[in-house]
Amino acid sequence: AQKITQTQPGMFVQEKEAVTLDCTYDTSDPSYGLFWYKQPSSGEMIFLIYQGSYDQQNATEGRYSLNFQKARKSANLVISASQLGDSAMYFCAMRAYNTDKLIFGTGTRLQVFP
Amino acid sequence: DAGVIQSPRHEVTEMGQEVTLRCKPISGHDYLFWYRQTMMRGLELLIYFNNNVPIDDSGMPEDRFSAKMPNASFSTLKIQPSEPRDSAVYFCASSPRRNTEAFFGQGTRLTVV
């Protein structure tokens, strides 16, 4: 069975600082993808970054990077130089190749303060 | 492309009534997902389709819920009869192929009174 765990219900970070949002996963499928989404207070789901299980390098997209540690089954999101607009819910998700389901963790609410 | 389009954006209905939520996926996407989001249960996958065929409906909570995808450009999620505990935001998402990200619609906020 697939499972995504986000243990941080809420995080605070000061503007311009970096923050790490934790995500661990579980799957028996050797091929899978890991995703992070942002949900601002307006409610839409915004795709941020993707990491494939066979990718050798950590994914990066602008200020977002994914710290992928396959042996530990973790896929933490790092946001560098936080901005006030980064305040939102952040969801980690996984899609195993065989089941093809896209499942989500419970989310982490990030608040950026000046 | 306009993205995934859901309608209506808001729906208020009385308990016992039938509710139909609609979704138009991005053209060319092979996969369509329906999710329900609540504070208590987070984002739950209800059902997903591949090439218009339902693949996994294990997340559909009860027989009151049904979903169809009659063609590649349209899907519906129906609740009959609706109950107050069905109140939630329902998202539709589509993805182009296996193991890729999904793109979400704006969601339908359903309130059952």
Side-chain angles (χ1 to χ4, degrees), chain B residues 71-86:
Chain B
N71 57 62
S73 58
F74 185 65
S75 177
T76 60
L77 178 68
K78 186 178 294 186
I79 308 172
Q80 164 63 18
S82 57
E83 297 182 3
R85 60 194 169 118
D86 301 330

Side-chain angles (χ1 to χ4, degrees), chain B residues 32-107:
Chain B
L32 185 139
F33 302 86
W34 280 101
Y35 292 89
R36 177 173 69 176
Q37 186 176 32
T38 60
M39 289 292 291
M40 292 298 294
R41 303 175 73 93
L43 262 167
E44 302 172 274
L45 175 62
L46 300 177
I47 185 171
Y48 78 94
F49 295 83
N50 178 214
N51 291 321
N52 313 339
V53 176
I55 302 301
D56 190 326
D57 65 353
S58 59
M60 296 286 261
E62 301 170 35
D63 291 345
R64 298 184 296 107
F65 286 69
S66 63
K68 294 182 180 180
M69 192 164 186
N71 57 62
S73 58
F74 185 65
S75 177
T76 60
L77 178 68
K78 186 178 294 186
I79 308 172
Q80 164 63 18
S82 57
E83 297 182 3
R85 60 194 169 118
D86 301 330
S87 297
V89 178
Y90 291 82
F91 284 104
C92 173
S94 69
S95 76
R97 55 192 174 278
R98 193 181 278 273
N99 212 23
T100 57
E101 70 271 22
F103 297 86
F104 280 71
Q106 297 284 357

Side-chain angles (χ1 to χ4, degrees), chain A residues 31-33 35 37 39 42-45 47 50 52 91 95-106, chain B residues 9 31 33 35 37 39 42-43 45 48 50 55-56 58 91 95 97-106:
Chain A
S31 178
Y32 50 88
F35 309 83
Y37 284 80
Q39 187 177 42
S42 51
E44 69 267 34
M45 292 287 288
F47 165 70
Y50 162 81
F91 292 95
R95 192 172 179 186
Y97 188 86
N98 285 330
T99 66
D100 232 358
K101 290 182 180 184
L102 178 62
I103 63 165
F104 285 79
T106 52
Chain B
R9 291 293 307 278
Y31 289 85
F33 302 86
Y35 292 89
Q37 186 176 32
M39 289 292 291
L43 262 167
L45 175 62
Y48 78 94
N50 178 214
I55 302 301
D56 190 326
S58 59
F91 284 104
S95 76
R97 55 192 174 278
R98 193 181 278 273
N99 212 23
T100 57
E101 70 271 22
F103 297 86
F104 280 71
Q106 297 284 357

Side-chain angles (χ1 to χ4, degrees), chain A residues 13-103:
Chain A
V13 65
Q14 190 166 30
E15 202 176 5
K16 300 179 185 177
E17 297 295 310
V19 63
T20 298
L21 306 183
D22 294 343
C23 173
T24 58
Y25 61 92
D26 191 23
T27 179
S28 57
D29 197 323
S31 178
Y32 50 88
L34 297 157
F35 309 83
W36 278 91
Y37 284 80
K38 173 183 179 182
Q39 187 177 42
S41 57
S42 51
E44 69 267 34
M45 292 287 288
I46 303 166
F47 165 70
L48 295 177
I49 194 167
Y50 162 81
Q51 178 85 43
S53 60
Y54 293 116
D55 293 344
Q56 295 296 312
Q57 292 191 325
N58 288 341
T60 60
E61 287 288 346
R63 295 186 298 109
Y64 304 110
S65 61
L66 202 153
N67 184 1
F68 180 45
Q69 298 188 44
K70 194 170 182 177
R72 299 179 64 180
K73 292 190 173 180
S74 74
N76 299 339
L77 178 70
V78 180
I79 304 175
S80 62
S82 298
Q83 302 172 355
L84 295 177
D86 294 334
S87 295
M89 281 288 287
Y90 288 82
F91 292 95
C92 181
M94 175 174 64
R95 192 172 179 186
Y97 188 86
N98 285 330
T99 66
D100 232 358
K101 290 182 180 184
L102 178 62
I103 63 165

